[in-house]
Structure formats: structure tokens, C-alpha cells
Amino acid sequence: MSARVAILISGSGSNMVALAESMAGDHPARPVLVVSNRPEAGGLAKARDLGIATAVVDHRPFGTDRAAFEAALTEQLEAHRPDILCLAGFMRVLTPAFTSRWAGRMLNIHPSLLPKYPGLDTHARAIAAGDTEAGCTVHEVTAELDGGPILGQARVPVLPGDTPEALAARILPWEHRLYPAVLRRFAEDDRRPVFLP
Ligand code: GAR
């Protein structure tokens, strides 16, 4: 039986596409749902084009009530009985109640070499710090923001004159390689980290 994967997005969904396209053939998992907290997320149409069920749980009507938002999200997720959740550019902070419900079953990709630069503006912070390398990390999601066990990293150089946009564009293709590689291992219950290139 294939592991059932739900992918959570907020934006363009390029990592979602990389994950979804990787789950084919002898892959041990299959995508069962793409859910966005933003109705206008470009990734929703891409998911539909890939034949994946989609759902929207707009966070805005819930205001600051994160628990109510997450209850609505959980209802959508549970309807598709996922074994694994992949956060792929999902830009909402999750409560400890949600992260503990999915403990050991939820992955995230973050555009920095964690533990450096959890949170936002990772590329600008790496450049401002004078770092000579940057990259991306896939990790298990715990209650600590961007803090769970690291399951993979890909490194790229920071080049002289880099802008945050240029660095992000250099890292993104590595996100698309790293996340599928980690998910495949994870779905096979293999927790050894993946290091790229
Ligand atoms: C990716 O770069 C991902 O690492 C980042 O958002 C982008 C989403 O792009 N995630 C975070 O910053 C999480 N804090 P995508 O929608 O094209 O996959």
C-alpha cells in the first residue's frame, strides 16, 4: 500500500509540483491532496492539472484564532486520510496541538541551511551576514519553528553581488531535487539525512 501524502501550500507551488511528479512508478507514496490557506495560490491550478484533489482553507476569516483555522484544516486533511504531510511553501505558523497531532509524519522545506535563519527573509539574512554558502533544508516539523530534526540539506555558493532574488533563484532548483529525495526515503521509513549536491 502506498503512503498517502497531503501537500500544504500558500503560493506558486513549485515544490509541490516537484514532489507530486516524483511520486510515480515504484515510488512508495502517492499525492492525495493539495491544500492551500490562500485561495489565490497559483499552485492550486497546477495541482488540478496534475489530477490531484485540492482544498482551500482560507486563514483570514479565522483572524487570530489559530486553533479554529487548524480545526478546519484538519477536517479537510482527515477527509483524505494522509499518512504524511509535506509543507511546501506553507506560510502559516502551526500550533503545538497541530504539530503534535502529526508528529513524525510532517515535513517542511525551508530556504536556509538550518539551524541558521529560521523564519523569514532567509536569503537577505545570509547575504547580510557575509555567508559564502547558503541552501535549503528539509526537516521534520515540531513545535519549534523550523526546528525539527534535519532530514536533508542542499548547499549552493553565495556569489559576490548576490541579491536575495538571485540567491533564491539559485537555491530553488535544489529545493526541487532535495525535497523529493527526502520524501522518498521518509516514505520508506529511512530517516538517514540526504545531503546534496
Ligand atoms: C520555497 O522557497 C520554500 O522553501 C519557501 O517558500 C518557497 C515556496 O515556493 N518556504 C518558506 O519560506 C517556509 N518558511 P513554492 O511555492 O514555489 O514551492
Side-chain angles (χ1 to χ4, degrees), residues 9-17 43 46 87-91 108-112 119-123 136-137 145-146 168 171-172 175-176:
I9 65 169
S10 300
S12 69
S14 69
N15 277 288
M16 176 277 296
V17 170
K46 295 176 188 170
L87 308 184
F90 184 70
M91 302 305 276
N108 180 45
I109 187 151
H110 184 75
S112 79
L120 299 176
D121 300 324
T122 53
H123 309 100
C136 51
T137 303
L145 180 70
D146 300 323
I171 292 171
L172 192 62
E175 297 189 34
H176 300 160

Side-chain angles (χ1 to χ4, degrees), residues 25-89:
D26 69 350
H27 197 287
R30 289 292 183 269
V32 297
L33 177 69
V34 170
V35 57
S36 174
N37 67 302
R38 290 178 62 241
E40 62 276 26
L44 287 167
K46 295 176 188 170
R48 283 192 290 269
D49 287 348
L50 289 164
I52 307 169
T54 61
V56 173
V57 183
D58 190 341
H59 65 279
R60 287 167 297 191
F62 298 99
T64 56
D65 191 347
R66 287 187 190 274
F69 165 67
E70 289 174 358
L73 184 60
T74 298
E75 190 178 323
Q76 291 295 325
L77 290 168
E78 292 293 7
H80 294 267
R81 296 178 287 106
D83 303 302
I84 297 170
L85 302 191
C86 289
L87 308 184

